[in-house]
Amino acid sequence: VETDAVALACAAQACRDGRKTDAANEIISEMRLKKMNTNVAEVLNEATLSVDFPEVRSPVPLGALRPMAPKEVNLYKWIRQRATPGDVASVIQVIEEFAEERSWLKIQGEQKKELLEASLRAEDRVVEFGCYVGYSSMVMAKKLRELGGGSVTTCEVDAANAYVARGVLQFAGVEGEVQVRVGCACDWVATGQLGTIDFLLLDHRGTIYHDDLHAAEPSLSEKALVFADNVLYPGAPLFLNYIDVQGYQIEIHELKEFKRPDLDDWVVICRPPPLAQRREMPES
């Protein structure tokens, strides 16, 4: 069985407690060779922290998530140390600070955040494809509160990120307004469990925006809006072709990427045509 960082940190701390400094140093050297965190106190403290929410049978230790999502685990710890529990605005601000001070995050901040908030309407039933750490979900939940209500269901294919997102949402106090679904967006659409969609946010993989939008179209309400991020960078050319062929009403917003003034991007907001006017998926 491969020894993990927690086991080695426990051994190193035991050696220190027993005044076996040379042995402790050897263990820390082994941790360094395995590219593990060599801060023993930090490793042991992390082992006591966990992400816990009603959907799981038992809490998930952060140490178990770190190998799969190291930056996101660091973000979660940063939030717990600096944000105010139950204050969604505080959590949003701390995430933005982490992206600026520690490690950049691909989130819908600054100009994109303003456009997202301005596009929401009271009582919108929002479905998001691509939750990541829950930033945009919190932005939408906060704005819907201000407008008088609404709901957010977000799908995330990466299980480790979904665990972190659930922990972040619970810490922010919006777990009652935002539901996280783990798995591929198209699979969740096929179950019919996402319900009627008033606002569809595409922020997962631009190369499959068109496929997932086509799958979701039967669930779109009469007032539905589709909000697609990263259409220019990394890009979603098949999505652009699809909504053009299908006769969507299209708005293209040229914006800067979050904390990247050197990087231009497009956000596309579009309205689907009436159901009777929609066509089959174009041949690729």
Side-chain angles (χ1 to χ4, degrees):
V1 177
E2 183 70 19
T3 307
D4 62 14
V6 176
L8 291 173
C10 287
Q13 187 60 49
C15 290
R16 287 176 176 176
D17 292 343
R19 298 183 180 180
K20 304 291 185 180
T21 305
D22 290 342
N25 289 339
E26 287 182 13
I27 294 171
I28 292 171
S29 295
E30 181 181 349
M31 294 171 71
R32 186 176 294 109
L33 287 173
K34 293 183 176 181
K35 297 183 179 180
M36 297 176 177
N37 184 359
T38 57
N39 187 325
V40 171
E42 185 174 290
V43 172
L44 295 178
N45 178 62
E46 185 173 292
T48 66
L49 295 175
S50 62
V51 178
D52 189 16
F53 38 86
E55 289 92 340
V56 296
R57 294 180 180 178
S58 58
V60 181
L62 288 187
L65 297 176
R66 176 173 287 282
M68 298 173 284
K71 179 166 66 172
E72 292 74 21
V73 166
N74 286 338
L75 170 65
Y76 180 66
K77 291 169 61 179
W78 177 277
I79 291 169
R80 288 177 60 93
Q81 293 166 0
R82 290 166 174 79
T84 303
D87 184 345
V88 64
S90 168
V91 176
I92 290 171
Q93 179 181 344
V94 167
I95 291 176
E96 293 168 354
E97 291 171 354
F98 178 92
E100 185 167 12
E101 299 175 22
R102 291 289 300 274
S103 183
W104 183 76
L105 299 167
K106 191 164 181 55
I107 56 176
Q108 292 179 323
E110 299 176 329
Q111 294 179 345
K112 292 184 177 182
K113 174 184 171 184
E114 293 174 3
L115 181 60
L116 179 60
E117 290 176 322
S119 301
L120 291 168
R121 300 149 302 183
E123 304 300 328
D124 266 346
R125 292 162 291 187
V126 177
V127 170
E128 176 185 33
F129 295 164
C131 176
Y132 189 37
V133 295
Y135 175 87
S136 53
S137 297
M138 287 187 293
V139 168
M140 292 188 289
K142 177 177 176 292
K143 184 61 179 180
L144 288 171
R145 280 182 182 178
E146 296 170 1
L147 292 171
S151 64
V152 180
T153 301
T154 179
C155 303
E156 175 55 51
V157 71
D158 187 304
N161 286 343
Y163 276 118
V164 172
R166 281 171 165 162
V168 171
L169 295 167
Q170 187 173 52
F171 187 87
V174 296
E175 71 276 15
E177 297 143 274
V178 182
Q179 304 300 314
V180 180
R181 300 287 179 258
V182 183
C184 294
C186 59
D187 292 337
W188 277 107
V189 170
T191 68
Q193 296 180 34
L194 299 181
T196 302
I197 303 171
D198 299 318
F199 189 94
L200 178 62
L201 173 55
L202 303 176
D203 192 21
H204 52 324
R205 286 178 55 198
T207 54
I208 58 173
Y209 279 5
H210 60 297
D211 287 326
D212 289 344
L213 172 57
H214 182 72
E217 280 180 342
S219 300
L220 298 179
S221 70
E222 292 182 358
K223 68 169 188 175
L225 284 179
V226 178
F227 186 105
D229 192 14
N230 304 316
V231 176
L232 179 63
Y233 182 84
L238 294 179
F239 166 75
L240 284 172
N241 177 69
Y242 177 79
I243 58 176
D244 181 44
V245 170
Q246 286 282 35
Y248 277 66
Q249 299 176 33
I250 303 169
E251 298 176 8
I252 298 178
H253 298 261
E254 299 182 21
L255 303 172
K256 296 293 184 181
E257 186 61 82
F258 174 66
K259 299 299 180 186
R260 291 288 305 275
D262 60 316
L263 188 59
D264 295 320
D265 195 11
W266 290 353
V267 168
V268 170
I269 301 176
C270 55
R271 295 177 182 272
L275 185 60
Q277 298 178 20
R278 295 176 193 171
R279 306 175 185 177
E280 294 298 320
M281 174 71 77
E283 294 291 336
S284 57

